[in-house]
């Protein structure tokens, strides 16, 4: 069920006014400790910012500086920041309107008039009122502040833009990364939609966003939610005690079918898990609702690398190769250059050394699905469709089913002139790609819109995750919320690990690296070099674990 976009800020602001407790304390960084036990509350960040209020005799610029720095204190709905504002503005200023993330060292203050102060910031990223993160979204921005002097001679801000500004060093200690969980259209998988909310009382933010909001626009048509329009939160706050979150829905939830309630429970429980919640107590207008989580299919894959060697195709453990029943034997019929295996391991999408894309299944059948020139490495989705596209024609994306029927995927990357790599997510709802747009290389992700039979119809408008430099080599999903791209500039190879809805990070890859494969976390990424060496990351180093690897395959899941 799709829902029209609704603004989250007003609901969450009300919740913050009701619940957020003042936060004060000293840094709590200490020795490494074991993780939390079930039912315990998650630990606080390494430290809390405790912004200062206005100082007596502060100048207009000092008041504005103090106000901006007070954005680090979301306690009591940014109560400290409101002390810098006039009485009327303090009542209307909306800090939840968005976040500008910048480098504090690049900020430039100016006083164009005695009662005005301007602040110029270079935005590295922004977070909007729904918690959606976008890299480099607004560039250079000038914020205008007007001030007036009170009867006691102290300056206060009478006009200020909504939202807050946080330095890139401050942002991770004020805001946390959380995933709103939706279902794929078949109700088989849970699909994360990454958002960023204040870490203080994050459960309230998450519940309001999930129950009172919508999926991100680029993802909305590719996922489903069990929460109908008629169901809201009867109160905007979500108290958490002993790992139990109390979520009170509107009275209309009493009329829902049991499977609907169970799916709502599942979405809420999975979404709140990152806050330390292990159980959701669901009510409707204070009436208890009986619900339990529904089974969902995991997207986890085998921790052993899946490779092709001179000995065959299978999972590598030390010097031993474990074959996949049926599929490993079938792979001997093709000369593979790249392989991606379907979740049930009953089929694989293969790029041959001759440039064709073929489908190989465990029954031994080999089907040529695309023989166009210049094809990039293919991908296979949970519905059995093999995705293929020529490097110089991103809009020529097709998906071919097990029956050999190819469908054109409409609206594929309309502004792109070249595509270097592509990978469908393990849940089948998203596709990521390394693309060239106006001569600039970047990573994009788009929702996959399917019909009721799972046939891919088109892609939603793509969402840019960020730019990369050099030439694109390979792309893989590391987990459900992170993709990895390999790029090369001259002889230097870079691994870009990019969160889908968050910041990215780049590390130097071993010389000659040409392909990447993920596992279950970003810490278990594997690389293969052009001379057949296999590497795995150990802390900050790359450790060679095998040699003579012809192909490093990627996995789309494990048999259920």
């Amino acid at each position: 069920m799709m829902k029209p976009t609704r603004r989250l800020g007003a609901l969450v602001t009300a919740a913050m006014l009701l619940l957020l407790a003042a936060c004060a304390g000293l840094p709590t960084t200490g020795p490494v400790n074991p993780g939390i036990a079930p039912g315990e509350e998650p630990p606080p960040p390494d430290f809390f910012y405790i912004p200062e209020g206005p100082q007596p005799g502060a100048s207009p610029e000092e008041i504005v500086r103090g106000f901006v720095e007070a954005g680090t204190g979301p306690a009591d709905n940014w109560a400290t920041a409101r002390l810098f504002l006039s009485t009327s503005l303090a009542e209307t200023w909306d800090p939840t309107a968005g976040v500008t993330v910048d480098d504090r060292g690049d900020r430039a203050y100016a006083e164009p008039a005695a009662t005005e102060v301007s602040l110029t910031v270079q935005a590295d990223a922004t977070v909007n009122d729904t918690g959606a993160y976008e890299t480099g979204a607004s560039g250079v921005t000038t914020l205008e502040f007007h001030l007036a002097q009170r009867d006691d001679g102290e300056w206060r801000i009478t006009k200020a833009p909504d939202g807050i500004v946080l330095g890139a060093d401050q942002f991770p200690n004020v805001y946390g990364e959380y995933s709103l969980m939706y279902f794929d259209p078949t109700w088989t998988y849970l699909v994360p939609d990454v958002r960023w909310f204040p870490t203080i009382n994050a459960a309230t933010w998450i519940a309001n966003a999930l129950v009172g909001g919508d999926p991100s626009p680029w993802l909305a048509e590719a996922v489903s939610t069990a929460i109908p329009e008629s169901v809201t939160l009867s109160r905007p706050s979500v108290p958490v005690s002993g790992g139990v979150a109390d979520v009170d829905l509107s009275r209309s939830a009493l009329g829902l079918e049991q499977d609907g309630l169970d799916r709502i429970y599942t979405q809420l429980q999975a979404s709140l898990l990152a806050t330390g919640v292990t159980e959701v107590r669901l009510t409707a207008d204070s009436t208890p609702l009986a619900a339990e989580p529904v089974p969902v299919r995991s997207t986890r894959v085998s921790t052993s690398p899946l490779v092709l060697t001179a000995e065959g195709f299978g999972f590598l453990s030390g010097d031993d190769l474990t074959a996949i029943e049926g599929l490993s034997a079938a792979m001997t019929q093709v000369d593979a250059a790249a392989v991606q295996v379907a979740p049930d391991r009953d089929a694989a999408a293969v790029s041959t050394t001759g440039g064709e894309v073929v489908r190989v299944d465990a029954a031994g059948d080999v089907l040529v699905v695309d023989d166009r020139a210049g094809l990039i490495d293919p991908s296979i989705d949970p519905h059995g469709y093999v995705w293929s596209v020529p490097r110089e024609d991103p809009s020529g994306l097709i998906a071919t089913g097990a029956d050999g029927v190819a469908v054109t995927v409409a609206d594929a990357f309309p502004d792109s002139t070249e595509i270097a790599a592509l990978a469908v997510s393990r849940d089948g709802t998203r596709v990521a790609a390394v693309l060239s747009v106006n001569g600039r290389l970047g990573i994009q992700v788009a929702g996959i819109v399917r019909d009721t039979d799972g046939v891919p119809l088109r892609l939603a408008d793509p969402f840019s995750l960020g730019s990369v430099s050099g030439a694109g080599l390979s792309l893989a999903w590391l987990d459900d919320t992170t993709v990895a791209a390999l790029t090369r500039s001259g002889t230097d190879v870079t691994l870009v690990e990019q969160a889908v809805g968050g910041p990215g990070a780049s590390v130097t890859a071993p010389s000659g690296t040409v392909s990447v494969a993920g596992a279950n976390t970003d810490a278990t990424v594997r690389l293969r070099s052009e001379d057949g060496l296999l590497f795995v990351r150990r802390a900050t180093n790359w450790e060679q674990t095998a040699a003579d690897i012809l192909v490093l395959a990627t996995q789309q899941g494990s048999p259920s």
Side-chain angles (χ1 to χ4, degrees), residues 376-377 391 418-422 433-436 441 471-475:
I376 65 172
D377 294 343
R391 179 179 296 272
E418 184 174 316
I419 180 168
L422 172 143
V434 178
L435 299 152
S436 180
L441 198 67
L473 298 176
S474 180
L475 179 72

Side-chain angles (χ1 to χ4, degrees), residues 203-241:
T204 288
W205 290 86
I206 293 167
N208 274 278
L210 185 66
V211 178
D214 306 281
S216 294
W218 66 268
L219 183 62
E221 293 182 275
V223 296
S224 299
T225 179
I227 307 168
E229 287 282 348
S230 59
V231 173
T232 60
L233 293 179
S234 66
R235 58 174 183 263
S237 60
V238 177
V240 178
S241 178

Side-chain angles (χ1 to χ4, degrees), residues 191-433:
V191 182
D193 185 0
V194 172
R195 305 293 178 89
W196 293 80
F197 300 124
T199 55
I200 296 177
N201 203 30
T204 288
W205 290 86
I206 293 167
N208 274 278
L210 185 66
V211 178
D214 306 281
S216 294
W218 66 268
L219 183 62
E221 293 182 275
V223 296
S224 299
T225 179
I227 307 168
E229 287 282 348
S230 59
V231 173
T232 60
L233 293 179
S234 66
R235 58 174 183 263
S237 60
V238 177
V240 178
S241 178
V244 179
D246 285 298
V247 180
D248 193 32
L249 302 175
S250 57
R251 190 169 186 81
S252 55
L254 293 172
L256 297 179
E257 298 291 335
Q258 188 61 49
D259 62 345
L261 284 175
D262 289 344
R263 287 170 177 167
I264 291 174
Y265 180 93
T266 303
Q267 286 184 250
L268 282 165
Q269 186 181 57
S271 299
L272 294 171
L273 187 63
T275 68
V277 169
T278 56
E279 181 184 349
V280 173
R281 191 152 46 207
L282 206 59
T283 55
D285 196 22
S286 299
T287 301
L289 294 172
E292 57 184 25
V294 300
V296 294
R297 182 161 184 176
S298 172
T299 57
R300 294 180 66 82
V301 300
S302 171
T303 56
S304 298
L306 183 58
V307 300
L308 175 67
T309 71
E311 297 180 1
F313 181 72
F315 292 100
L316 186 65
S317 178
D319 295 327
D320 297 327
L321 196 67
T322 303
I324 299 175
E325 184 177 357
L327 190 60
S328 290
M331 288 290 294
T332 62
Q333 302 180 62
V334 296
D335 192 2
V339 180
Q340 185 171 91
V341 175
D344 288 328
R345 300 177 187 163
D346 57 350
V350 179
S351 177
T352 69
T353 55
E356 295 177 325
V357 168
V358 302
R359 174 193 173 91
V360 179
D361 67 38
D365 296 327
V366 176
L367 175 67
V368 177
V369 300
D370 201 340
D371 59 2
R372 291 175 291 176
L375 295 170
I376 65 172
D377 294 343
S379 189
I380 189 168
D381 68 25
H383 299 269
Y385 283 87
V386 174
W387 295 61
S388 58
V389 62
R391 179 179 296 272
E392 296 184 357
D393 184 18
S395 64
L397 180 64
I398 64 171
T400 305
D403 57 3
V405 176
V407 295
T408 298
V409 183
D411 303 328
F413 314 113
D415 299 324
S416 304
T417 55
E418 184 174 316
I419 180 168
L422 172 143
V424 177
S425 63
R426 297 170 191 170
D427 50 49
T429 61
R430 300 158 289 167
V431 60

Side-chain angles (χ1 to χ4, degrees), residues 457-473:
L457 299 178
R458 61 182 174 86
L459 299 186
D461 290 340
F463 178 69
S464 176
L465 300 181
S467 299
V468 294
S469 59
L473 298 176

Side-chain angles (χ1 to χ4, degrees), residues 74-94:
D76 289 332
N77 196 26
W78 282 270
T80 300
R82 295 181 192 275
L83 297 176
F84 292 86
L85 307 178
S86 66
T87 301
S88 59
L89 182 58
E91 294 177 352
T92 60
W93 174 65
D94 182 10

